[in-house]
Amino acid sequence: MKRRTLLTTGPLAAALVAGTAACSGRIQTNQGGGAPAGDGTTIPQLTFPSEVAENVAGIANFNPFAPNVTSRTYFYEPLMIRSSMNCEVVPWIATEFAWRDEQTLVFTIREGVTWSDGEPLTPDDVAFTLNLRKEYPGADDIGLWTDVFGAPAESVEVEGQDVVISFSGLAAAKFDSLITAKIMPQHVWGEVGDPTQYVDEAPVGTGPFALGSYNGRRLQLTRREDYWQADKVLIEELILEGNYDATNAALKLAAGELDAYWGEIPNPEQAFAAKDPELNHFWYAPAGSTVLTYNLTKAPFDDEKFREAVSQGLDKDEISAKATYSVMAPASQTGLKLPYAENLLPEAYAGQDTVLPFDTAKAEELLDAAGYTVGADGFRTLPDGSAFAPKFLVQAGWIDYQAAADVIVRNLQTMKINASVQTSPPEAVDQAKKDTNFDLLLEYLHGGCEVARNLGSKLASDQVPTEDTVKANVGRWEDPATDEIIAQLSGETDPEAQKELTGQLVEIMMTKYPVTPLFYAPARMIYRTDKAEGWPSEEDPYGTNSEMLMIITRLVPPSAS
């Protein structure tokens, strides 16, 4: 059984972060926090936005299975954390993993971890947590016991310090969701019955913070000195407070009353960073891609030559400029999040610019060759001579999508395609996705590390929306050969074989154009560095706002230089 080598997270890693933190040129201040200045070895206090919507303010519930959990990040911890940027698997409650065979996954559970009530964490706690999802299927938020992207689990058992998960078939694509499972103490949760119905007012977790106080709006967390990696958590007090719109968030950040924000602030360079370049920073990491989705069940969108021409005739630089103020780069036609996933590129595309260049002349040449001739009204017809006037369906109020749609429609008209924008409420757009009642629209393509679950789900025939549910394959790409590739990739545990299968999906994207990636969609992080340094950045892209538990172990007091 081959063990996987994992990313170092010990004291050496923390020392390296501290040693390479950028000099801010500022001394530590007490702006807006109310905490003492400290001695420079810890971070007295940080303030982040609340994790819970204001409409449930006053209800304290720390149950991670609850839809409106007061905090889902800092009390209960996962088996492992996988960086959404570099896809490194970071050991957490589990120190390592291995596929014993194609259907058996083994996690080795860390020793020396204690729950916040002083009881030791054991492999039995992990097995209990996973088996709880079998007993109560409504709690199976990771799909462990279902056949979604891999075979369901058959059993979860303890062998010494290992937890052994046996599947009924190939299930490699379940790994990313499986490791996110929050581990619960059996000595507490074994008595609560259905975990989805339990109100957890006094969390007993393994996480870095204990519950300080909560008044229905302001949640105060205090650092646990007995946390298993307490030497890496230097934040003495964490405040989670408020749900801010862009304007209020920018004001709070500028005043030092908020240290980080994950929501959208349009044009963050001008609205925030430029006002104090030493302290104010942002990094909009690519989380996935915004893609142009065609209704592949109707002409002319079922013609790959038409889709190729459209893909070639879209000005992705202008689309990004209008939709994201040029913060996000145009996206690769491969469907991969580049350059971060460039190790998955097949040799045929390695080192190439896989963002399709904007070329109206080439687009028109392709349309002419495919039989889409220009009629007397100046617009192209279908090859049979009939007119067509595609509608670009866009959600009302989604400003970035509307801005992108305006450019796309203008590009289509330049190609002599009689396109127009049709604005509808978001719920109406969702209904159109279920009913296949659309021509063109924008969709999100997740850029996660499990390619079968992300790029694969956009192309898998079993991910076509139903009359009740919007699924990922909104365009209705249905191809048995593609399904076979995704099925193999879903069960493959060998990295080289995974790369080869991913390359086959990339080839489909580059030659068949099932969707057209336009620009990368952001995982937003806007932050100040007067109280803490070591945030992820374009220069050090170790994680995104999805990995806050990992990020807080990398934050250090500002340097004195």
Side-chain angles (χ1 to χ4, degrees), residues 26 250-251 254 268-280:
R26 300 286 183 108
L251 291 172
E269 175 62 40
Q270 180 179 330
F272 177 63
K275 294 181 178 179
D276 191 342
E278 286 191 68
L279 293 183
N280 298 352

Side-chain angles (χ1 to χ4, degrees), residues 329-346:
S332 166
Q333 179 60 35
T334 63
L336 299 179
K337 189 170 63 180
L338 301 180
Y340 305 100
E342 61 187 4
N343 63 307
L344 294 177
L345 283 175

Side-chain angles (χ1 to χ4, degrees), residues 234-281:
L234 305 181
I235 306 166
E236 296 288 352
E237 185 177 80
L238 184 61
I239 303 298
L240 305 178
E241 181 177 29
N243 297 100
Y244 306 105
D245 60 22
T247 300
N248 287 328
L251 291 172
K252 289 280 188 181
L253 284 162
E257 297 173 4
L258 194 61
D259 296 297
Y261 180 64
W262 337 119
E264 180 179 9
I265 293 182
N267 199 355
E269 175 62 40
Q270 180 179 330
F272 177 63
K275 294 181 178 179
D276 191 342
E278 286 191 68
L279 293 183
N280 298 352
H281 306 275

Side-chain angles (χ1 to χ4, degrees), residues 33 76 80 104 109 186 330 379 428:
Y76 298 107
M80 294 178 164
T104 311
I109 307 307
Q186 183 174 8
F379 291 109

Side-chain angles (χ1 to χ4, degrees), residues 199-221:
V199 177
D200 183 13
E201 296 180 334
V204 176
T206 60
F209 293 100
L211 177 60
S213 63
Y214 180 56
N215 64 7
R217 183 179 183 276
R218 182 180 189 270
L219 176 63
Q220 177 204 29
L221 309 179

Side-chain angles (χ1 to χ4, degrees), residues 40-52:
T41 62
T42 62
I43 302 167
Q45 184 186 87
L46 291 180
T47 301
F48 298 161
S50 172
E51 293 184 80
V52 67

Side-chain angles (χ1 to χ4, degrees), residues 154-206:
E154 287 189 326
S155 66
V156 178
E157 299 177 342
V158 173
E159 295 180 3
Q161 204 60 29
D162 290 342
V163 171
V164 182
I165 306 171
S166 299
F167 295 93
S168 61
L170 302 179
K174 290 186 182 291
F175 180 82
D176 268 16
S177 59
L178 173 57
I179 63 174
T180 68
K182 301 287 190 178
I183 305 306
M184 317 304 290
Q186 183 174 8
H187 67 279
V188 176
W189 285 74
E191 308 297 325
V192 307
D194 185 347
T196 66
Q197 303 301 311
Y198 178 57
V199 177
D200 183 13
E201 296 180 334
V204 176
T206 60

Side-chain angles (χ1 to χ4, degrees), residues 131 148 159 165 285 313 358 372 443 468 477 497 499 518 520 551 554:
N131 281 315
V148 176
E159 295 180 3
I165 306 171
F358 174 46
Y372 299 93
E443 276 277 293
D468 300 317
W477 177 264
K499 178 176 179 177
L518 300 173
Y520 291 116
I551 288 172
R554 301 279 295 263

